[in-house]
Amino acid sequence: MGTTTIGIIGCGNISDAYLKGAAASQLIKVKACADLRPEAAQAKARLYGIEAKSVEALLADPEIEIVINLTVPAAHASVSLQILNAGKHVYLEKPLSAQLADARAVVASADAKGLRVGCAPDTFFGASHQAARHAIDGGRIGQPVGGTVAVLSHGMEHWHPNPGFFFKAGGGPILDLGPYYITQLVNMLGPVARVAGVTTIGNATRTISSEPLKGQSIDVEVPTTVNGLLQFASGANLTLSASWDVWRHQRAPIEIYGTEGSMLVPDPNFFGGTPMISERDAPWQPLDISAHPFGVNNRTKGSGEAVADYRIVGVLDMASAIQQGRAHRASGALALHVLEVLEAFERSSNEGRHIVIESRCERPEAVPLGSGEEVFGAAYAVA
Ligand SMILES: NC(=O)c1ccc[n+]([C@@H]2O[C@H](COP(=O)([O-])OP(=O)(O)OC[C@H]3O[C@@H](n4cnc5c(N)ncnc54)[C@H](O)[C@@H]3O)[C@@H](O)[C@H]2O)c1
């Protein structure tokens, strides 16, 4: 396979993960980056040996085929439309947009132009999440009937250098972290049919405790505690709790209950971890994830915890899919369905009724067994 030339717009906190991930692959090569703040683009360009350009110059570069949009959620749709209008494929960070209508416009524009939209998260490519899906597909817990999701913390003003956007439209635990969980649920169980929710703003203001904005106050404009119900087209129904108002808890990220057993699925914010399975009421047993790619720990978090983090594989999959003329897995259709589900929690709470989900998406193709190199044609070195 050839090398696809990439540009990046948005040179903030998460851009290092993409720039480091891209450097490990022969399948893509980042040529240039851009940011509203030229100094941010120049800093990343120096660090990674690429060119810093204006957004306009990057979009006018004929060599660049895919642009990765790493701007804040409020800018996701407008920047993605700019990229598509320049005739380039776009892969962007989640959520697809802060507004469902804008997200629909992005996918429609790409479809009309014959271009691709890819969207994070790509953590469902991870070994633990693929192994969990494999176990469900293999009937290990029978027909999934119920389950629970818990994504609970006291985020995000204590670590991010500029955390305001987390508490504005497009942020909140449901739009910021929900994509990881709903995407993995769709990967395992298929599309969602309807949603109910209740939402609360736990704290009207947040005081930033991270540098450099320490001491500044953020007005919270989005719900920070959300409890909901998800009914899948398959008939399974799950509860979901997402909150940034919780100091401590003891719930597993995802539990799935089937007619023949139960499964615990690790945090879909990362690629690895060990799913646990119980057939009927037998003791929990670990699922072997070693046959699946992207499960080996390759990063140590600030807390000292080792994690598997291969954020970029969604871009690699899209680049190889374009070359091979096949569908890519972290698709615009999947991200649009996930966003419709996420928005439905607040709508349900505001309107006091279930929300029927209009969009349907196919489950993404399972990631083949093997190593990362095998999956992406010797293109992805496991760091
Ligand atoms: N930080 C993380 O750990 C993390 C993890 C996963 C996903 N994300 C997602 O990645 C995205 C970016 O997050 P971040 O933490 O890097 O944010 P950030 O605020 O650190 O960086 C965003 C950058 O985009 C630039 N920008 C904003 N609007 C722009 C525009 N219209 N044109 C050009 N540049 C523009 C800003 O100047 C800034 O440098 C968000 O959607 C977030 O949800 C972040």
Side-chain angles (χ1 to χ4, degrees):
M1 271 186 282
T3 301
T4 302
T5 305
I6 305 279
I8 291 182
I9 300 179
C11 297
N13 200 270
I14 198 63
S15 62
D16 290 295
Y18 281 85
L19 285 157
K20 283 182 193 153
S25 169
Q26 298 149 24
L27 187 57
I28 60 172
K29 181 176 168 34
V30 179
K31 180 179 181 190
C33 63
D35 196 289
L36 271 186
R37 299 176 299 126
E39 69 281 9
Q42 284 151 13
K44 297 299 173 197
R46 268 195 304 277
L47 198 56
Y48 294 97
I50 58 176
E51 296 172 35
K53 291 182 184 250
S54 67
V55 170
E56 293 69 28
L58 186 148
L59 292 178
D61 187 328
E63 281 181 24
I64 293 175
E65 286 176 60
I66 297 177
V67 179
I68 306 179
N69 173 0
L70 303 179
T71 61
V72 292
H76 280 179
S78 60
V79 172
S80 296
L81 287 171
Q82 261 183 288
I83 294 166
L84 293 166
N85 285 336
K88 300 181 188 310
H89 308 287
V90 59
Y91 184 96
L92 72 156
E93 255 303 333
K94 48 81 203 162
L96 186 51
S97 169
Q99 305 292 341
L100 183 58
D102 295 344
R104 287 191 176 121
V106 170
V107 172
S109 165
D111 287 348
K113 293 180 165 66
L115 293 167
R116 306 270 186 138
V117 179
C119 188
D122 53 7
T123 47
F124 71 89
F125 283 67
S128 63
H129 307 304
Q130 292 291 323
R133 168 175 171 164
H134 203 254
I136 289 177
D137 290 356
R140 296 278 305 273
I141 61 166
Q143 181 67 28
V145 175
T148 69
V149 173
V151 49
L152 311 167
S153 73
H154 217 281
M156 310 288 280
E157 66 278 20
H158 59 279
W159 70 274
H160 195 279
N162 191 16
F165 75 84
F166 286 115
F167 302 97
K168 308 294 177 195
I174 202 75
L175 281 190
D176 183 61
L177 294 172
Y180 297 101
Y181 292 78
I182 303 299
T183 304
Q184 171 57 1
L185 292 179
V186 173
N187 177 45
M188 291 189 293
L189 305 175
V192 176
R194 66 175 182 160
V195 166
V198 280
T199 69
T200 305
I201 294 181
N203 296 274
T205 59
R206 300 265 178 163
T207 305
I208 300 174
S209 59
S210 57
E211 296 293 354
L213 304 177
K214 193 170 179 171
Q216 288 190 14
S217 178
I218 303 168
D219 290 331
V220 178
E221 294 175 11
V222 290
T224 48
T225 288
V226 177
N227 283 291
L229 301 170
L230 293 149
Q231 183 164 43
F232 286 78
S234 70
N237 80 65
L238 278 77
T239 63
L240 172 145
S241 301
S243 177
W244 285 337
D245 298 311
V246 175
W247 288 113
R248 186 176 282 272
H249 70 95
Q250 280 195 306
R251 296 175 60 186
I254 300 177
E255 304 195 0
I256 307 287
Y257 313 127
T259 50
E260 300 298 327
S262 300
M263 188 158 60
L264 306 178
V265 183
D267 183 353
N269 216 327
F270 296 99
F271 288 68
T274 305
M276 303 293 287
I277 196 159
S278 161
E279 280 155 321
R280 300 255 166 161
D281 58 353
W284 293 111
Q285 297 287 340
L287 266 189
D288 181 10
I289 68 166
S290 61
H292 299 268
F294 314 122
V296 178
N297 290 342
N298 61 347
R299 177 160 90 78
T300 306
K301 288 206 296 184
S303 62
E305 187 193 346
V307 291
D309 189 352
Y310 296 89
R311 232 171 263 255
I312 196 75
V313 296
V315 181
L316 302 185
D317 180 54
M318 191 167 100
S320 63
I322 291 167
Q323 292 189 23
Q324 294 165 352
R326 63 171 172 84
H328 57 287
R329 294 177 174 82
S331 68
L334 173 60
L336 189 58
H337 179 69
V338 168
L339 182 64
E340 189 184 352
V341 170
L342 295 172
E343 280 211 352
F345 290 103
E346 195 174 353
R347 265 185 68 202
S348 168
S349 183
N350 292 344
E351 297 175 19
R353 62 182 182 93
H354 282 96
I355 303 296
V356 172
I357 303 301
E358 289 171 15
S359 64
R360 286 285 180 280
C361 65
E362 299 294 320
R363 293 198 306 168
E365 278 292 305
V367 175
L369 299 178
S371 66
E373 286 91 335
E374 283 157 356
V375 169
F376 289 121
Y380 194 82
V382 176

